[in-house]
């Protein structure tokens, strides 16, 4: 069984961090509606949703993915690359401690969960403005005894590795090849996004279904032709805060 840890959208979402996007007004009520739709979609797929209360003073706290990486054997608490986001980890660590033994990335290393893509026993970590080699080395030391290999991967033009690539079926990725070189994933098969939909590679795979943003119909069509079952949610208001689908939950298998 899977649990999704989520957090309600902060009233201060308009003060979010932005790296590649221009700031534009975010309708917080609309973002909350889309977040509720996202949680409902998770529940429809049989996931138990554990929603944490709003953090009024932490604008990006809805993007819980960046605070931790949950493996079967342990959870690694991140040290987010954007300093104002580091306070977000405390309450997540408290919750995750109920499910997993915790490890913590130590200063001065920096890493966002959005940069961490696990494919079986291989963990790719995007080298971005948010994540550095020190964190990758710490993660390697933590999980090598558990049989994982941690590898850096070059990413350019987007916020996180998972803006550029996510898994849509076992050993099948959807990728924006202008942001990450698909060949870097050691021969793992991939589908490219439709080139007119740069942000379409961030999807959330849950069993045999893949959550996709309705903003990317051409890429959804490509997935459908490949036999992938998409569940479509609207996420364009949250996208103004540079967040997408993986970032709004932490999936914990129990
Ligand atoms: C940030 O820049 O940190 C937030 N505004 C967006 C974080 C999105 N997180 C993710 O894709 N994992």
């Amino acid at each position: 069984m899977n649990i999704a840890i989520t957090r309600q959208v902060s009233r201060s979402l308009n003060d979010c961090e932005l790296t590649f996007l221009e700031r534009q007004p975010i309708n917080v009520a609309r973002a909350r509606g889309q977040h509720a739709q996202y949680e409902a979609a998770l529940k429809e797929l049989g996931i138990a949703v554990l929603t944490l209360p709003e953090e009024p003073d932490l604008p990006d706290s809805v993007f819980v993915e960046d605070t931790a990486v949950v493996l079967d054997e342990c959870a690694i608490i991140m040290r987010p690359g954007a300093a104002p986001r580091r306070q977000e980890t405390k309450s997540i660590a408290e919750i995750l401690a109920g499910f997993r033994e915790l490890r913590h990335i130590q200063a001065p290393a920096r890493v966002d969960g959005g940069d961490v893509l696990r494919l079986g026993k291989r963990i790719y970590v995007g080298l971005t403005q948010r994540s550095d080699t020190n964190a990758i080395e710490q993660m390697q030391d933590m999980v090598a005894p558990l049989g994982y290999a941690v590898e850096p991967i070059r990413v350019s033009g987007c916020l996180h590795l998972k803006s550029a690539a996510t898994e849509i079926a076992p050993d099948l990725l959807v990728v924006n090849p202008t942001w990450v070189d698909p060949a870097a994933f050691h021969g793992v098969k991939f589908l490219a996004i439709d080139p007119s939909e740069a942000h379409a590679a961030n999807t959330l795979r849950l069993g045999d279904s893949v959550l996709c943003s309705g903003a990317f119909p051409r890429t959804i069509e490509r997935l459908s032709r490949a036999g992938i079952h998409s569940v479509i949610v609207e996420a364009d208001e949250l996208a103004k805060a540079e967040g997408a689908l993986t970032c709004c939950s932490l999936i914990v298998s129990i």
Side-chain angles (χ1 to χ4, degrees):
M1 180 187 173
N2 282 329
I3 294 182
I5 298 173
T6 63
R7 177 147 41 206
Q8 286 176 348
V9 174
S10 174
R11 68 194 67 184
S12 61
L13 182 62
N14 275 284
D15 299 323
C16 65
E17 299 289 319
L18 288 176
T19 307
F20 289 92
L21 295 186
E22 292 288 322
R23 196 167 295 280
Q24 55 177 314
I26 302 173
N27 180 329
V28 173
R30 187 160 183 268
R32 286 184 170 151
Q34 292 185 346
H35 189 253
Q37 189 195 357
Y38 174 89
E39 290 179 322
L42 295 179
K43 287 178 192 160
E44 279 281 311
L45 291 169
I47 315 274
V49 178
L50 178 56
T51 307
L52 304 181
E54 178 201 1
E55 291 269 17
D57 300 324
L58 299 178
D60 280 308
S61 52
V62 62
F63 302 124
V64 290
E65 171 184 53
D66 292 319
T67 62
V69 168
V70 183
L71 303 175
D72 288 345
E73 303 86 351
C74 65
I76 307 173
I77 304 302
M78 303 285 99
R79 185 167 182 274
R85 297 202 58 193
R86 293 195 186 130
Q87 297 167 71
E88 295 174 27
T89 58
K90 188 170 176 286
S91 56
I92 295 290
E94 284 165 9
I95 294 293
L96 284 177
F99 297 101
R100 293 288 190 277
E101 183 193 324
L102 300 187
R103 319 271 166 94
H104 293 262
I105 298 293
Q106 303 295 335
R110 303 176 312 121
V111 57
D112 283 4
D115 272 322
V116 182
L117 174 64
R118 186 183 66 79
L119 299 178
K121 286 285 190 183
R122 212 176 268 276
I123 299 177
Y124 293 97
V125 185
L127 286 172
T128 64
Q129 294 182 28
R130 297 292 176 87
S131 301
D132 63 21
T133 50
N134 184 341
I136 293 170
E137 285 160 14
Q138 290 187 30
M139 287 176 71
Q140 173 70 26
D141 289 346
M142 288 171 191
V143 301
L146 303 171
Y148 293 91
V150 183
E151 274 195 42
I153 190 159
R154 301 228 157 266
V155 177
S156 62
C158 61
L159 183 61
H160 288 131
L161 171 59
K162 278 187 281 193
S163 318
T166 53
E167 195 182 35
I168 49 175
D171 291 322
L172 178 63
L173 300 171
V174 58
V175 175
N176 178 338
T178 64
W179 288 347
V180 69
D181 177 5
F185 295 104
H186 298 286
V188 172
K189 291 192 293 267
F190 72 95
L191 284 178
I193 54 147
D194 185 281
S196 66
E197 298 176 343
H199 292 271
N202 186 276
T203 68
L204 178 61
R205 178 179 164 230
L206 295 160
D208 295 332
S209 299
V210 176
L211 232 60
C212 296
S213 166
F216 309 119
R218 292 178 176 164
T219 300
I220 291 169
E221 176 58 28
R222 287 187 179 203
L223 266 53
S224 165
R225 283 202 302 268
I228 304 292
H229 176 248
S230 301
V231 174
I232 298 169
V233 293
E234 299 309 324
D236 56 303
E237 202 64 37
L238 290 161
K240 294 176 188 169
E242 221 165 348
L245 300 179
T246 57
C247 16
C248 291
S249 57
L250 276 168
I251 306 295
V252 183
S253 303
I254 55 165

